[in-house]
Amino acid sequence: NIRQSQGGSRLQALSTLLLTSVQEDYAETLGVELGGEFRAAHRYWKAKNQAPSRTPTGQLAPPNPSLVLGDRPLSLTLVRAWESLWWWPKTKVIAGLMWSSFRKPNPDEIRAWLESVLREESDVLTESLQELRQHFPSLHTTIIAERDAWLAAKLVQTCRVLTQQYLQTGVRKRVVGIVGAGHVPGIIQWLTGNVTSSPLASSSASISSSPEAILLNLTSTKRWKNDEIVQQEMVPIWTREVTQVQRNEEWSWTDPSTATPP
């Protein structure tokens, strides 16, 4: 439905295609898969869910883990990012992506950059994000800051659901979040109530008391403002439900405290 409704300009489609091409070039240069860490998490989850429910001694095994998708949908992020730019930044973005797509990345330079980040010898990652903020402040807001808030809100919603399950079953579960390194500082700020440097800090909603209000602010777009499918079907799912992956399908948990009456 989203694919049918989103439409989009040819320039946005071109920028998305170029971005995908650049990402694939960098991944190929490093000999890695795009989203490899998430594939590893999925393989771990799948293996654990295929394990027997009892140990060889007959005791009950630990509860099987659940896999929750907590990031904002890519299509929504791309639409908001594109709408945040005026014509000159859009031109610069497309020009930069075209240049990067024709200029193959230097493997040694990329590996040196990654090693410096992993060894924490210098704050290269922070410097890179600050450079993005300097040249494209609205892109930094939509791609980094907004997703910091989104990921933190989904963590809060997941904990709410697990708390409800614990009260019903007595089974405790631990939440482990797998996120990009660039999102860690922002997520921590949101969860600790110390959001001062984020462009979203002026939001009157508290992420602990009302994550839905924050999520709702991060779903608005000019393109889908009057789209009934998006507004009536997708936005409630994005803002009020926690999507858990099953073996053969996806389904959603809804926090009883936020469920909309029929």
Side-chain angles (χ1 to χ4, degrees):
N1 289 339
I2 289 293
R3 188 172 299 173
Q4 295 173 355
S5 303
Q6 66 184 3
S9 66
R10 293 181 179 179
L11 283 179
Q12 182 183 345
L14 174 61
S15 64
T16 302
L17 180 63
L18 290 172
L19 177 60
T20 302
S21 175
V22 171
Q23 289 177 322
E24 289 176 347
D25 285 344
Y26 274 70
E28 182 180 357
T29 299
L30 292 172
V32 298
E33 291 180 299
L34 285 175
E37 68 274 28
F38 301 110
R39 289 186 174 91
H42 182 268
R43 286 193 293 267
Y44 174 84
W45 163 81
K46 192 172 182 179
K48 287 294 182 180
N49 275 280
Q50 292 175 344
S53 58
R54 291 185 178 272
T55 64
T57 60
Q59 297 177 336
L60 287 175
N64 292 335
S66 301
L67 183 63
V68 173
L69 305 179
D71 203 353
R72 183 168 63 180
L74 177 61
S75 58
L76 179 55
T77 296
L78 290 177
V79 168
R80 283 183 61 87
W82 189 252
E83 290 182 352
S84 72
L85 299 171
W86 56 292
W87 69 270
W88 176 238
K90 287 179 180 177
T91 304
K92 290 170 62 178
V93 167
I94 292 178
L97 290 174
M98 290 184 67
W99 169 254
S100 298
S101 66
F102 289 115
R103 178 182 177 274
K104 294 296 182 181
N106 185 301
D108 295 333
E109 291 180 358
I110 298 176
R111 289 193 175 91
W113 183 87
L114 285 176
E115 288 174 1
S116 66
V117 172
L118 294 174
R119 290 196 302 265
E120 298 183 352
E121 293 179 349
S122 62
D123 205 357
V124 180
L125 187 59
T126 300
E127 293 174 1
S128 300
L129 293 177
Q130 288 176 347
E131 186 175 352
L132 173 63
R133 181 183 297 173
Q134 177 182 353
H135 294 288
F136 301 100
S138 63
L139 283 185
H140 182 275
T141 297
T142 53
I143 295 176
I144 304 297
E146 289 186 0
R147 287 173 60 220
D148 291 346
W150 188 284
L151 290 164
K154 286 300 177 182
L155 282 171
V156 171
Q157 288 184 326
T158 301
C159 290
R160 280 184 178 177
V161 172
L162 293 179
T163 299
Q164 292 289 335
Q165 291 185 352
Y166 168 70
L167 294 175
Q168 295 172 2
T169 65
V171 177
R172 292 181 180 272
K173 287 193 175 183
R174 178 177 298 172
V175 177
V176 178
I178 300 177
V179 300
H183 292 290
V184 173
I187 292 174
I188 292 175
Q189 287 181 359
W190 277 102
L191 293 178
T192 57
N194 188 30
V195 187
T196 56
S197 58
S198 171
L200 309 175
S202 59
S203 173
S204 59
S206 166
I207 203 162
S208 59
S209 62
S210 184
E212 294 77 25
I214 291 175
L215 291 170
L216 185 61
N217 289 334
L218 303 179
T219 62
S220 62
T221 64
K222 297 177 183 177
R223 179 176 308 155
W224 294 334
K225 182 178 180 180
N226 298 316
D227 190 311
E228 292 185 1
I229 294 177
V230 174
Q231 297 303 321
Q232 296 179 11
E233 298 182 17
M234 301 310 301
V235 170
I237 293 175
W238 290 337
T239 59
R240 295 182 177 274
E241 296 186 358
V242 177
T243 302
Q244 179 192 15
V245 179
Q246 295 283 51
R247 292 183 184 181
N248 299 317
E249 60 180 345
E250 295 178 6
W251 65 288
S252 298
W253 293 325
T254 301
D255 185 348
S257 64
T258 65
T260 303

